[in-house]
Amino acid sequence: MDGMQPHIRWQNIQNQDITPADVRDILFAVDDDLWVVAACVDRLVDDPDTQRSLLELGIIRSKSAILRAQAAPHIPTPDADSIHRHNEALSLYFDDAPDDAELCRMRAVLLHRCDRLSTFIQICKDLSTEEGDADDIDEEWEDDPWAEDSEVTPLPPRFARSFASQQQFTALRTLIQYHSTTLWPFRFVILDSIPGHTHPLEYREILPAYDINRVREQTPSFSSWRAGLDWVETPEVHAALHASQAESRVAVDLYQSKIDATACTEPLAPKDITSWYKHRVDIIISSTGILDIALETVQHGASHGVPDLDELGEELSLLSRLVYDSPQPHEPQDSQDWTLARWQSMEPAEVVSAYLAHSGPETVANDITRLVTPYLFVLEARAERAGSPDPALPTRLLYDYILSAPLSIVAAVFEASKPTLPVAHRIIRNDEDLARLALACLYGSDSRNEWSTMSAIFECLPSWEITPGTEDEADEADATILSLGSFVAPSTTRPRCSPSDLMLFFKPLPLVSLSRALDILDLHLESGEILSRWNVAAPLRWFLQSAHDVVEQRAWANRMARRTVNSRELNGKDEWKWLLEDMLKLSGTSENGLKSAFGLLSSEEVSSIFFTGLLNSGSFDIAREFLQHRHGKWPLSPLVIEDICLSVSREFYDNASSGNYKTGDMKLAYDCLGVPPPSERLIKERDFIEATSRLSSFNLLSRPGVLLSPIEIRLTKDRLSLISRVLSNTADAYKHTEVILDLLYKLGFTGDVVAEVRILAMLSDTALQSEDFTRAYETSKRMIEKVLNMSKEASSGDLDEAVREASNVCWVACFQLGRHPEFEDVEAKLSLLGYALQLCPADRLHDVLASWRRLEKEVVDGRRAYLADRTVTRPKNTTQPSQESCLISP
């Protein structure tokens, strides 16, 4: 039956149904080698055993074609001289024997498939061992393990990339081992597929290496499942098959790799290998940020001879120290992203700062030793390699960091640099540099509250036994220190003197000057602690700037005496005594002959400033105790104490918002005058305060809606005008003559008769305006009496001038009241006009006489009318009015 023929049976069997027995039973019975080999090439099955049976059968049955071609008599044996003729003859043979040509082509395909099948089986074993489950094998690999190459990329490179991306390196190694020829052009594509976080040791076999003998990339040794190339795989046969005109259903080069743009067929030059490693490092850092993987990659390349990777390895090693070993911020959001590009763009000083950015006083010394010192050594070594040695580079960078660090960090560094430590264990090993750095950091700091830290720094400094030198050396040292005050003074070009600037100043100083500077520093630290204790702390540079400025020292002493009062309460006399002792200490001189912070002020001036501050605090009882119990030792004279009390009292007075001396600042001004024993000046000042209080009680206004302030009262030039305003604003004030006169005396006019006359004139005028003629007349008589008594006592030119001024005031007042038409007391009016005639200037006699005569005429006319009226009513009137009553002699 036809259905039982072998080729029909073979065609009726599906791929998935073929077994090794079918191959043996059906194909072995066919004698046609070409048909059998073609059947083996045509079938691709999933079962490895069946597939191997097909491949092995096809290889066996194609052997006859090789034998016939090799036995052809006209084909010469290939050698160096006849290779071309051999290829031509072999090509002609294949043209004449197309079946043998087709068998050779198919044999090449079967051999290639056989290699792939062996690789597939081995990979399956590798994956099974690696993952413990063969079912986890990549579906792409399992679906089509030995299919022909795709149109774009051959299968081995595609599978290699898949294994690389999944980090299945055992399978990848197997694939590369047996298909190196195919995969070699795609080595960098495969490497790029490996995730950046993968450790390079896992794929070290495929990383590029350098062949120092050939000065190019090292090529791997190629392995194969077979001992050597089959005859059909030799270049001669391959070329002959290409040249043959025999028609073929199978492409001879199917098993060859298809080269695309991603392939690299030639070994790389040294610089290209280096560039690839650098690019790989950039990819690892940018995609993962895992620096130790990048470092391991570079170290692997360097160990395999890749040139110019040493410096990159150093950079990565230093960067990894920064990322992994340096202290990290407490808050995650404060962390920074580091890349190699950013690292390489940083200046060395920035790198040092980055290493120690989060170091604390407890760790900074150790961090410098394990992080910064190796980095500085690398920089120095690079400078030497570059032909520009700079031995001072490490210390310069380290010193720059210290000069910019906070004092707490500086103190920790100095603690690890004490001269008592072994030199090898010290961070700063030069004693003179240690002193210079300390001076620059401390005098360049703006801190006012880290005195314990500053003292700790000073305790770490060396102490030199300086033998007394020549007088010139001592003068030179003192002159150097004096110039330091000018150096730290701010200017328009340099508003602030930084520690780095100060380091430039201290760097050339000799040992004698450094020792002198440390003595001054010791004194300044002690002074700074004292000022800080009393809440008037100053930066250390202030002591240099004020060393020859008495105004500045006096101002700071005043701040010390006064700010202490404002910022804290001193409990009792003992603390005030402590303050005085500290202020006097600051005005003294040290054992080395160095003046302290207030060295330009005398002890008397300092005591005066202290006593002023004490009074400003309002602690008058304590002030009295100082005067009573320290009288014998008190450096201030009674007159100075009196001046201070007056000055402080006036300060309280000027700051008072109310004139009432029973409360507020006015009370302090009044009570302050009671601290020293009474004196004329003190009493006069107290009277003025009482007068101010009295004036304030009348609610005088300086402008509409605003009461007159105490300071305005003091600054009023004509204080009599204040009394005038009281009389004008208070309706019945004129009635209280004694009160007004007492106010006059307390305003400072005690014994001033002219002022008293002026006030009496004001009182009389105010009473006149109020039509209180009786009180006006009584006040005028008192004023006239004052003027007459003053005239009797007149003996000098000055007094005569005062008499004239008082007389002018008096006669005007008398004249005004004496001629007032509504004042009905004629005798009083005539008396007032008579005194006006006596006291007025000559050029005013006419006016007064006119009023006198007019009043006299009125009196005479009145008398006559009165007498006539009496005559009519009582003809006989024995009583006659006295003529003398009409004329009152002035």
Side-chain angles (χ1 to χ4, degrees), residues 44-287:
L44 296 173
V45 298
D46 292 336
D47 181 61
D49 294 335
T50 303
Q51 185 65 52
R52 185 172 293 279
S53 299
L54 287 170
L55 297 174
E56 290 177 352
L57 177 60
I59 292 171
I60 293 172
R61 298 293 292 268
S62 62
K63 181 69 174 178
S64 59
I66 297 175
L67 297 176
R68 286 192 293 273
Q70 290 176 341
H74 57 278
I75 298 178
T77 303
D79 52 36
D81 298 329
S82 61
I83 185 65
H84 181 66
R85 289 188 294 103
H86 174 271
N87 291 346
E88 287 182 353
L90 188 58
S91 177
L92 293 174
Y93 170 78
F94 285 138
D95 289 340
D96 295 337
D99 289 346
D100 286 348
E102 187 71 2
L103 283 172
C104 288
R105 291 189 184 97
M106 289 188 290
R107 179 180 177 85
V109 171
L110 293 172
L111 290 170
H112 187 58
R113 286 184 181 177
C114 189
D115 291 342
R116 285 193 179 183
L117 178 60
S118 299
T119 302
F120 171 75
I121 294 173
Q122 182 61 42
I123 289 176
C124 288
K125 293 179 182 178
D126 295 340
L127 295 178
S128 178
T129 303
E130 217 173 67
E131 302 179 9
D133 187 358
D135 294 336
D136 293 337
I137 299 173
D138 186 6
E139 293 180 359
E140 184 182 10
W141 167 256
E142 191 175 37
D143 286 346
D144 197 7
W146 47 70
E148 301 304 334
D149 300 337
S150 64
E151 295 181 358
V152 179
T153 306
L155 277 178
R158 184 148 53 96
F159 285 127
R161 291 177 60 184
S162 175
F163 291 144
S165 64
Q166 299 178 50
Q167 303 178 69
Q168 294 172 334
F169 295 112
T170 304
L172 179 60
R173 278 191 290 271
T174 299
L175 195 61
I176 292 175
Q177 179 180 357
Y178 296 106
H179 300 273
S180 298
T181 305
T182 304
L183 295 178
W184 166 254
F186 300 94
R187 59 196 180 281
F188 295 113
V189 177
I190 297 170
L191 286 169
D192 290 343
S193 301
I194 299 175
H197 62 268
T198 308
H199 199 284
L201 290 180
E202 297 187 36
Y203 58 96
R204 58 186 178 276
E205 296 88 350
I206 59 175
L207 282 170
Y210 177 64
D211 189 340
I212 192 172
N213 296 322
R214 300 183 179 181
V215 195
R216 64 178 186 178
E217 180 185 3
Q218 184 177 349
T219 56
S221 57
F222 299 111
S223 301
S224 175
W225 289 105
R226 292 171 283 119
L229 291 177
D230 191 82
W231 183 78
V232 297
E233 294 175 321
T234 59
E236 297 83 6
V237 176
H238 186 249
L241 290 173
H242 263 291
S244 173
Q245 300 297 321
E247 184 178 354
S248 174
R249 297 180 304 156
V250 181
V252 176
D253 58 351
L254 269 179
Y255 63 93
Q256 297 294 332
S257 300
K258 290 182 174 62
I259 306 302
D260 57 18
T262 62
C264 180
T265 58
E266 298 296 329
L268 295 181
K271 64 177 183 178
D272 295 328
I273 306 175
T274 303
S275 298
W276 182 88
Y277 272 98
K278 291 180 178 179
H279 178 67
R280 177 66 179 174
V281 165
D282 290 337
I283 292 176
I284 292 173
I285 296 176
S286 61
S287 62

Side-chain angles (χ1 to χ4, degrees), residues 69 83 115 190-191 234 446 613 633 667 712 717 789 851:
I83 185 65
D115 291 342
I190 297 170
L191 286 169
T234 59
D446 293 324
K633 301 178 181 179
K667 183 179 187 306
E712 290 176 308
K717 294 181 178 180
N789 291 336
S851 297

Side-chain angles (χ1 to χ4, degrees), residues 446-451 524-540 542-543 546 552-568 570 579 582-583 586 597-598 609 613:
D446 293 324
S447 178
R448 302 184 181 206
N449 55 5
E450 298 180 271
W451 299 104
H524 288 172
L525 286 173
E526 182 183 10
S527 301
E529 290 181 359
I530 293 175
L531 292 181
S532 178
R533 180 161 59 241
W534 302 106
N535 300 307
V536 285
L540 271 179
W542 177 85
F543 296 97
S546 64
E552 182 67 17
Q553 290 188 12
R554 184 179 297 115
W556 214 273
N558 276 295
R559 292 179 64 184
M560 184 174 181
R562 291 173 178 247
R563 182 173 290 184
T564 299
V565 176
N566 297 330
S567 58
R568 57 175 288 195
L570 300 185
L579 174 60
D582 279 347
M583 292 184 70
L586 291 176
F598 302 152
I609 292 172

Side-chain angles (χ1 to χ4, degrees), residues 400-418:
D400 287 345
Y401 168 77
I402 295 173
L403 291 170
S404 64
L407 286 181
S408 58
I409 298 296
V410 174
V413 173
F414 275 59
E415 184 68 27
S417 306
K418 284 183 176 181

Side-chain angles (χ1 to χ4, degrees), residues 452-482:
S452 59
T453 303
M454 296 182 192
S455 298
I457 292 175
F458 181 80
E459 291 172 0
C460 298
L461 300 181
S463 177
W464 294 293
E465 295 293 335
I466 304 296
T467 57
T470 64
E471 185 176 350
D472 291 339
E473 289 179 346
D475 291 342
E476 181 183 356
D478 290 338
T480 301
I481 300 305
L482 289 177

